[in-house]
Every structure is written in structure tokens, then in C-alpha cells.
Amino acid sequence: MFGFKLSVLLFAVCSLSKCSGRFVNSCKYPPSQWCDSRDIAAECGVLEQCVKFNAVPVNVSLYYESLCPGCRQFLVTQLLPTFIMLTDIMNIELVPYGNAQEKEDQGKYTFICQHGEDECLGNMIETCLLNTLGLKAIPVIFCMESGADVLKAAQPCLGVYFPDTTWDSVMKCVKGDEGNKLMHQNAQKTNALKPPHQYVPWITINGEHTEDLQDKAMSSLFNLVCSLYKGDKPPACGQGLKKKTNSYCMN
């Protein structure tokens, strides 16, 4: 069916004298195969028309706090399993801050967190892990958030996945200027949300937040990402993760 549509398109373009004989003869494949691979599409001059090669990943950002039960549930049961299964068609961003409050005193920032000092520490640890390891920190954060005690799990989780990264190096970030500045950046990013966040987990899809997108993400982020991706769906999209998360920490 796609080959037929592409043939019609090519006929229309050539009818307007925008297609040379040399271009047509350079392609040795029938129209039905033009989008079978990037090389074939390039040879036949239809790379831009083959949507699956130009589709951009779905960007999912999670604004959360480390000890919020609803955040932990969404992160463990929805976000990270979906990312593992759909890593080729989605990007994720984690912003640990949530409903915290920030105060500045002589260039230093102090933070008051919804679930107390332990949550501020958890937020800072995960922020420093993300800064040090990038997206490689995801399994460590998953390990922490799925544990019975987020803080007690942090060091063992790091040791499991990155034995060469010392706990002392993480805590140096947590207790120093670097961690303070990184958390300030998280505060700025969270406070700049439009519309302003009213609860956590707060989810944006391709930079946008609506109640409809939030509800769909909380119900099945997997299905939402599959439905929004414009290219060829990966085989995994034939399945689904449908565990509904409906717990929130109100701001």
C-alpha cells in the first residue's frame, strides 16, 4: 500500500518535470521496496518521504521526588520498564526535585522537601548519579526506588552496577558545591514548568503537559509512547504495560 502511494507521489512529481530520467533509472528497486532500508531509500531518492527513517523519539520527562510513593510507583512500574523495552523510540529525562522549596543565602541554596531531610538527600544522590553517569544511572535509580528503603539501597545499588564508581565520589558531589548547583538547576527547571506543576509525579511528553497526556502516561506510558511514535513501531509495541498508577503527592 505504501509503495502504491509512493508511486503515485513520484508520478505526480515527475509530471511537474521535477524528476529526471537519470533519477528514475538510478533506482533498481520497485516502489514497494523503497522504504525497506535507509540505503535503498537514499538510492531511490525518497529518504525524506520514508517517514520511519525520519521519525524522532518521543521525549518523556519526569519531575519527581525520591520518597513520594506515587513517584516511586510510576518510575518503577511504568517509566523504566517502558524505557528498557522502547529505548530505540524514546528519550527520558529525570528531574529529582518535585514539591521542594528552595532558599538562597549568600550564593548557597538550601532545600526543604515534602517528605523531610531524607528526601532532600535522596533527591541529591539521584541528581549527582545522573550528573556523573548520565542515563547509565537509570538502573541504579531503579534499584534505589524499588527498594524498601531508598537511602539504604543507594550505596549497594551503585556497587552492583558500577563497582568502579566509589560512593565517596558521589557523596563529594552530594555534600559539595557541585550538588548544590545541580539541585538549584533542578529547582529552576521545575519552577519554569508551564503550566506550573500541581503534584508529582508530573510528566511532560515532548515538552508538553496536559491532563490527558498525564492520565494516559499514568495508565500506560508504554502504550502512549507507541501511539505517539511516528515511525515504524518496534515489535514490542504489539504488547503493553497496563498497570495503572494513580497515587500523587500534591504540591
Side-chain angles (χ1 to χ4, degrees), residues 52-69:
K52 67 180 179 181
F53 298 129
N54 298 291
V56 296
V58 178
N59 296 312
V60 180
S61 296
L62 173 64
Y63 295 79
Y64 73 106
E65 48 198 33
S66 60
L67 299 188
C68 165

Side-chain angles (χ1 to χ4, degrees), residues 25-76:
N25 292 333
S26 69
C27 179
K28 60 180 178 291
Y29 299 92
S32 61
Q33 297 179 13
W34 286 356
C35 289
D36 283 357
S37 75
R38 181 177 290 274
D39 289 342
I40 294 175
E43 180 178 336
C44 295
V46 293
L47 191 57
E48 292 184 2
Q49 286 78 15
C50 292
V51 176
K52 67 180 179 181
F53 298 129
N54 298 291
V56 296
V58 178
N59 296 312
V60 180
S61 296
L62 173 64
Y63 295 79
Y64 73 106
E65 48 198 33
S66 60
L67 299 188
C68 165
C71 299
R72 296 177 65 187
Q73 184 180 359
F74 177 77
L75 194 150
V76 170

Side-chain angles (χ1 to χ4, degrees), residues 7 64 68 88 109 121 139 180 233:
S7 296
Y64 73 106
C68 165
D88 291 337
Y109 301 94
L121 178 56
N180 195 258
K233 313 295 185 186

Side-chain angles (χ1 to χ4, degrees), residues 46-179:
V46 293
L47 191 57
E48 292 184 2
Q49 286 78 15
C50 292
V51 176
K52 67 180 179 181
F53 298 129
N54 298 291
V56 296
V58 178
N59 296 312
V60 180
S61 296
L62 173 64
Y63 295 79
Y64 73 106
E65 48 198 33
S66 60
L67 299 188
C68 165
C71 299
R72 296 177 65 187
Q73 184 180 359
F74 177 77
L75 194 150
V76 170
T77 66
Q78 292 279 355
L79 181 62
L80 299 188
T82 298
F83 182 63
I84 289 170
M85 298 180 72
L86 301 179
T87 185
D88 291 337
I89 67 169
M90 69 179 291
N91 298 319
I92 66 173
E93 176 189 30
L94 300 179
V95 185
Y97 183 78
N99 297 329
Q101 298 178 9
E102 177 186 63
K103 295 182 179 180
E104 182 182 3
D105 182 17
Q106 298 181 346
K108 292 279 189 177
Y109 301 94
T110 57
F111 304 95
I112 301 172
C113 297
Q114 185 171 15
H115 299 93
E117 292 183 3
D118 282 352
E119 181 166 79
C120 282
L121 178 56
N123 290 348
M124 189 70 80
I125 289 172
E126 294 183 2
T127 294
C128 286
L129 286 170
L130 287 164
N131 184 64
T132 301
L133 301 172
L135 288 182
K136 293 181 180 178
I138 288 175
V140 184
I141 294 174
F142 175 88
C143 179
M144 289 173 58
E145 296 292 342
S146 61
D149 188 309
V150 174
L151 294 183
K152 288 182 179 179
Q155 185 173 357
C157 288
L158 178 66
V160 167
Y161 291 100
F162 295 96
D164 294 333
T165 301
T166 66
W167 182 246
D168 286 344
S169 67
V170 176
M171 293 309 294
K172 182 179 179 180
C173 169
V174 168
K175 296 179 180 180
D177 290 341
E178 182 180 27

